[in-house]
Amino acid sequence: MRAIGALFALDLVSIPTINAFRRLATSMDKFSKVASEEFLKLPRISLRSCEMYLSGSHNLAYFLRVTPHPLRSPARAYCLYASKRNFVDCFHEIQDLIEGDRGGGSGGGVAGFSTYEALVNACIGLKSIRGARRVHGYMMRSGYEADLYLANRVLLMHVKCGMVGDARKLFDEMPERNLTSWNITIGGLVDGGEYWEAFGLFLMMWGEVSDASSRTFVTMIRGSAGLGEVFVGRQLHSCVLKMGVHSDMFVSCTLIDMYSKCGFIEDARRVFDGMVEKTVVGWNSIIAGYALHGCGEEALGLYYQMRDLGVKMDYFTFSIIISICARLASVEHAKQAHAGLVRQGFVSDVVANTALVDFYSKWGKIEDAQRVFDGMSVKNVMSWNALIAGYGNHGRGIEAVEMFERMVSKGLVPSHVTFLAVLSACANSNLSDEGWEIFESMSRDHKIKPRAMHYACMIELLGREGLLDEAFSLIEDAPFSPTKNMWAALLTACRIHRNFELGKFAAEKLYKMEPEKLSNYIVLLNVYNSSGRFEEAKSVIQTLKDRRLRLLPACSWIEVGKKPHFFLFGDKSHVQTEEIYKKLDAVMLEIRTEGYVPVGKHLLPDVEEQEEHISSYHSEKLAIAFGLVSTPSFTPLQVVQGHRICGDCHDVIKLIALVTRREIVVRDASRFHHFKDGTCSCRDYW
DNA sequence: GTAGGGTTAG
């Protein structure tokens, strides 16, 4: 014990108690056994031997490498290492040490600057509230007077452990402060989402010390991004210019991020273009900005520009790019980003890999998603969520529930997103019992209050079973006012089960909430059409006209030969148009032998052109026809479309999958349709 | 032996 105490205090003259080191050695299995034995034979322990002993460990070397300010003593390294591995034990040791000292024990192992600094650093690294409380407690009780440097570290420790309130109190009581103290406290408030509070303190700082550094501005700009208030951000931008710190790359990057998060991508671009030295973070920020604005193509363009300029990419870059690809379902770009990730050695990054899991599942390759997931050395809740959502979207609810159960049994804490993923999986696959059990377990076992989206899943679940009245009561009984998602779920159910009364009711609620959203009118139109109420259907069309709402051209695309090919409704712009239409007509004839009858009732209301043959040339059919002519037989096809698939296309694609013996995955605006052997994974409910 | 700051995934 003493020996460990001595270690901490860097006072390595005393002979170690062999037992203490033996305990150490057994608690740290990674230490080389031989090294420990040799070490224990030493009659005296010097700083040097200590270093050698500790450096025998792989992990220690790693810590030394990654710690921004190289650890200057083995004591600190030890502390960081021990606490990383076994926090509780580490603190027991220190408790003994400190209490031993207070009892007037000999040996001189005092908890001094190094000990505290090491402990504080460990807590910062670990974000351990318990540890932070303990360390701070020791300091207070022992009456140790920290200098400004250490006091600031303690402040930071509180901030990083999420104890912003305590940090604020500490800050107020500090006998002496400097810019760093202010910056740390303001940063803590911003991190904790208390933006206005942060602004208050910032103004106080301005009044009290009439100074601020670029670091302060970085924090405050981040705060205005959090608020989503561009006028605050703009004011800070002018302050930055006046103070002459605008060329600071940290400032520029935060500005880019702030402008894009506030919806001003052009301003973000201007800041980016003005960067003297464009760092990788600057590139990442602007690319993420374009991605956020749905400009995936623009984002990819910048990414290739970045590559051509030889900017070294990091794991952020790949994560962003992969998530863009997931949205675009762009295989070729994603494959390259995946390769880049591997080449540059970021294979073990959680975020990038989670993005990959998401990508593969959105691309329709759920097995590949599972493979990436299985290969991940570090997984967090989000990684599990991505996989569960993947199974759910592919109509594989049983696997989704299995994954959910496995995740919980591993001791991970599911978040509300996890529940969203697993409940929607249950809804997609008609797993009623499982769904209700999980829904009820949310508040019972996991202390998570179901939100509107969770209710929407349950409404969908009931709706699939045709229990429309029950679904309606669930909306009425919800502990909050119903949201559009809940009404939309009910409306969909009404469409499938042809309940036009309730459907109309739900649709009217929706019109009020989002009058400009076309899809609501269309679903109601389908409700009427499918139940033969053409008069009502006409009135919906009239409403559409009155409100000057027009359908955006529906667009589908398919990637063939490393290139996306886009199709609009009735599109004849593709170079292979003739071939495509010929193939489509041929295959439409072929599926008639399988019992296909064109149905008008599912028609998407192209308002002006309500004719039967029109749905033959819906964009998804054209994309599939192109896939059929330009890929070898039996190749699976992946189609993405920006709107919801219509009933006729759904029937047709099922049969095309059957007659051509191809797997066809269509990702529409709401889910995946996995067509195989004449059936679809959505079980005809979408 | 001198801190504090920017970008990513469900």
Side-chain angles (χ1 to χ4, degrees):
Chain A
M1 208 67 75
R2 278 286 150 242
I4 295 172
L7 238 178
F8 285 130
L10 283 183
D11 205 356
L12 300 167
V13 282
S14 53
I15 306 294
T17 347
I18 303 287
N19 283 342
F21 271 110
R22 221 163 253 160
R23 270 178 52 199
L24 230 181
T26 48
S27 72
M28 298 187 175
D29 47 58
K30 288 258 170 69
F31 274 65
S32 138
K33 214 173 159 197
V34 184
S36 330
E37 279 165 8
E38 288 304 308
F39 185 66
L40 290 176
K41 279 189 210 146
L42 293 170
R44 261 172 75 91
I45 296 196
S46 67
L47 199 65
R48 182 76 194 121
S49 53
C50 216
E51 268 170 359
M52 283 169 64
Y53 175 62
L54 290 162
S55 65
S57 150
H58 246 27
N59 283 339
L60 180 74
Y62 171 71
F63 276 129
L64 285 168
R65 212 172 55 237
V66 297
T67 306
H69 298 280
L71 293 165
R72 293 164 203 96
S73 72
R76 285 182 220 170
Y78 164 68
C79 196
L80 194 60
Y81 179 60
S83 52
K84 194 93 184 173
R85 305 203 62 205
N86 193 337
F87 197 59
V88 180
D89 281 357
C90 175
F91 275 94
H92 282 320
E93 302 289 4
I94 290 162
Q95 197 171 26
D96 286 347
L97 158 74
I98 292 171
E99 283 168 2
D101 287 336
R102 261 221 312 273
S106 59
V110 220
F113 180 89
S114 302
T115 314
Y116 285 129
E117 195 202 13
L119 282 171
V120 167
N121 283 342
C123 293
I124 292 171
L126 285 163
K127 301 187 196 305
S128 160
I129 298 184
R130 220 176 123 208
R133 291 239 163 85
R134 227 149 164 184
V135 172
H136 193 223
Y138 286 138
M139 288 181 84
M140 303 283 284
R141 264 175 278 146
S142 68
Y144 180 81
E145 283 191 31
D147 61 3
L148 184 55
Y149 164 73
L150 196 55
N152 280 341
R153 293 298 292 175
V154 170
L155 196 60
L156 184 71
M157 172 175 77
H158 282 83
V159 161
K160 292 286 177 200
C161 297
M163 304 187 286
V164 190
D166 296 287
R168 182 64 206 263
K169 219 175 287 161
L170 271 177
F171 174 79
D172 288 339
E173 289 162 3
M174 273 171 93
E176 189 193 353
R177 298 168 192 153
N178 58 9
L179 264 184
T180 308
S181 330
W182 287 94
N183 288 344
I184 291 171
T185 315
I186 295 174
L189 289 169
V190 168
D191 285 339
E194 297 172 40
Y195 305 117
W196 291 118
E197 191 86 8
F199 272 96
L201 200 60
F202 171 68
L203 291 175
M204 210 156 105
M205 169 185 190
W206 204 244
E208 215 164 286
V209 297
S210 35
D211 196 11
S213 63
S214 62
R215 291 178 146 90
T216 324
F217 285 109
V218 165
T219 309
M220 292 319 303
I221 295 166
R222 204 153 53 85
S224 37
L227 282 173
E229 296 284 10
V230 77
F231 75 93
V232 183
R234 278 199 206 283
Q235 271 189 334
L236 286 161
H237 193 173
S238 24
C239 285
V240 161
L241 289 166
K242 265 184 237 164
M243 303 273 296
V245 287
H246 53 281
S247 52
D248 182 298
M249 54 192 177
F250 285 93
V251 171
S252 308
C253 295
T254 329
L255 279 172
I256 295 172
D257 185 54
M258 183 274 295
Y259 279 123
S260 73
K261 284 198 175 127
C262 292
F264 291 82
I265 189 72
E266 296 84 6
D267 295 81
R269 183 58 190 259
R270 218 164 297 138
V271 176
F272 174 74
D273 288 338
M275 276 179 88
V276 189
E277 188 201 347
K278 292 182 173 57
T279 60
V280 60
V281 183
W283 284 96
N284 292 346
S285 306
I286 190 73
I287 291 174
Y290 278 115
L292 190 71
H293 284 255
C295 313
E297 299 287 329
E298 188 79 37
L300 286 175
L302 278 166
Y303 162 71
Y304 287 112
Q305 209 173 314
M306 175 181 181
R307 184 195 60 185
D308 295 342
L309 286 168
V311 183
K312 193 151 169 52
M313 298 169 183
D314 61 6
Y315 52 93
F316 274 85
T317 322
F318 294 116
S319 306
I320 299 163
I321 295 303
I322 292 166
S323 70
I324 292 171
C325 294
R327 244 169 298 156
L328 294 174
S330 174
V331 191
E332 214 35 59
H333 297 297
K335 274 188 186 159
Q336 283 184 30
H338 193 169
L341 194 77
V342 175
R343 248 196 331 268
Q344 316 252 354
F346 301 125
V347 265
S348 56
D349 180 63
V350 209
V351 179
N353 277 294
T354 301
L356 271 175
V357 170
D358 183 44
F359 163 74
Y360 281 117
S361 86
K362 287 206 173 107
W363 181 42
K365 299 275 181 188
I366 187 72
E367 275 77 19
D368 288 324
Q370 178 77 57
R371 204 165 306 130
V372 172
F373 182 85
D374 291 338
M376 286 169 74
S377 52
V378 185
K379 297 173 186 125
N380 60 22
V381 176
M382 288 195 189
S383 326
W384 285 88
N385 293 351
L387 188 71
I388 294 171
Y391 276 118
N393 287 333
H394 286 281
R396 290 170 58 171
I398 294 172
E399 281 101 327
V401 173
E402 266 172 29
M403 283 296 148
F404 171 75
E405 282 165 355
R406 200 181 300 169
M407 167 187 177
V408 174
S409 73
K410 279 188 186 287
L412 277 117
V413 183
S415 69
H416 70 272
V417 184
T418 317
F419 284 106
L420 191 57
V422 71
L423 289 177
S424 93
C426 291
N428 281 345
S429 306
N430 291 0
L431 298 174
S432 182
D433 294 343
E434 291 85 345
W436 281 108
E437 166 54 25
I438 292 169
F439 183 69
E440 277 158 15
S441 78
M442 279 182 77
S443 36
R444 188 186 62 214
D445 306 337
H446 301 282
K447 312 284 171 240
I448 295 180
K449 267 197 209 137
R451 302 183 186 186
M453 285 301 285
H454 303 112
Y455 273 86
C457 290
M458 300 319 288
I459 292 161
E460 188 184 331
L461 194 58
L462 289 167
R464 277 183 177 252
E465 294 179 276
L467 303 170
L468 298 180
D469 293 335
E470 284 82 348
F472 185 54
S473 333
L474 192 61
I475 294 185
E476 287 186 309
D477 297 343
F480 42 79
S481 48
T483 61
K484 43 191 184 190
N485 293 315
M486 291 160 72
W487 290 119
L490 184 64
L491 180 56
T492 304
C494 291
R495 191 201 69 198
I496 302 285
H497 296 287
R498 302 182 189 184
N499 185 330
F500 46 86
E501 285 299 330
L502 197 53
K504 193 179 167 202
F505 185 76
E508 270 160 10
K509 292 278 182 196
L510 277 168
Y511 294 167
K512 283 201 189 106
M513 287 171 160
E514 32 183 17
E516 75 297 338
K517 197 168 175 188
L518 257 168
S519 58
N520 298 330
Y521 298 87
I522 291 161
V523 180
L524 183 64
L525 194 60
N526 280 331
V527 173
Y528 287 139
N529 273 338
S530 59
S531 45
R533 301 200 147 216
F534 300 111
E535 282 308 308
E536 281 95 336
K538 262 188 199 159
S539 78
V540 175
I541 292 173
Q542 193 51 48
T543 320
L544 273 171
K545 281 185 177 164
D546 294 346
R547 300 193 179 173
R548 291 165 189 271
L549 291 170
R550 277 200 59 90
L551 278 178
L552 279 174
C555 177
S556 302
W557 69 92
I558 181 169
E559 235 177 50
V560 172
K562 308 191 176 186
K563 237 187 88 193
H565 296 260
F566 295 88
F567 295 92
L568 296 174
F569 160 75
D571 198 340
K572 296 202 170 168
S573 61
H574 197 275
V575 281
Q576 283 164 266
T577 289
E578 210 174 309
E579 208 181 334
I580 293 167
Y581 277 77
K582 231 161 107 188
K583 183 72 192 179
L584 185 55
D585 290 339
V587 83
M588 291 296 282
L589 264 181
E590 194 180 346
I591 62 174
R592 285 191 188 228
T593 62
E594 294 292 332
Y596 168 71
V597 186
V599 271
K601 66 184 183 194
H602 283 306
L603 271 185
L604 267 181
D606 262 303
V607 187
E608 313 293 331
E609 315 160 85
Q610 278 272 16
E611 292 165 60
E612 191 177 290
H613 71 271
I614 283 173
S615 64
S616 320
Y617 302 118
H618 274 173
S619 61
E620 51 270 45
K621 291 200 187 98
L622 295 175
I624 288 171
F626 174 68
L628 292 175
V629 296
S630 51
T631 58
S633 306
F634 314 124
T635 313
L637 300 179
Q638 312 273 338
V639 175
V640 186
Q641 60 182 80
H643 56 286
R644 275 201 197 187
I645 191 166
C646 85
D648 183 55
C649 286
H650 199 265
D651 289 345
V652 167
I653 300 169
K654 276 199 288 190
L655 292 169
I656 294 181
L658 181 70
V659 299
T660 61
R661 280 191 274 158
R662 296 210 193 208
E663 263 185 78
I664 303 175
V665 179
V666 177
R667 196 180 107 194
D668 79 356
S670 69
R671 56 169 47 79
F672 280 89
H673 301 270
H674 225 117
F675 297 97
K676 199 183 171 187
D677 302 330
T679 60
C680 176
S681 61
C682 80
R683 290 156 221 238
D684 302 335
Y685 188 106
W686 69 96

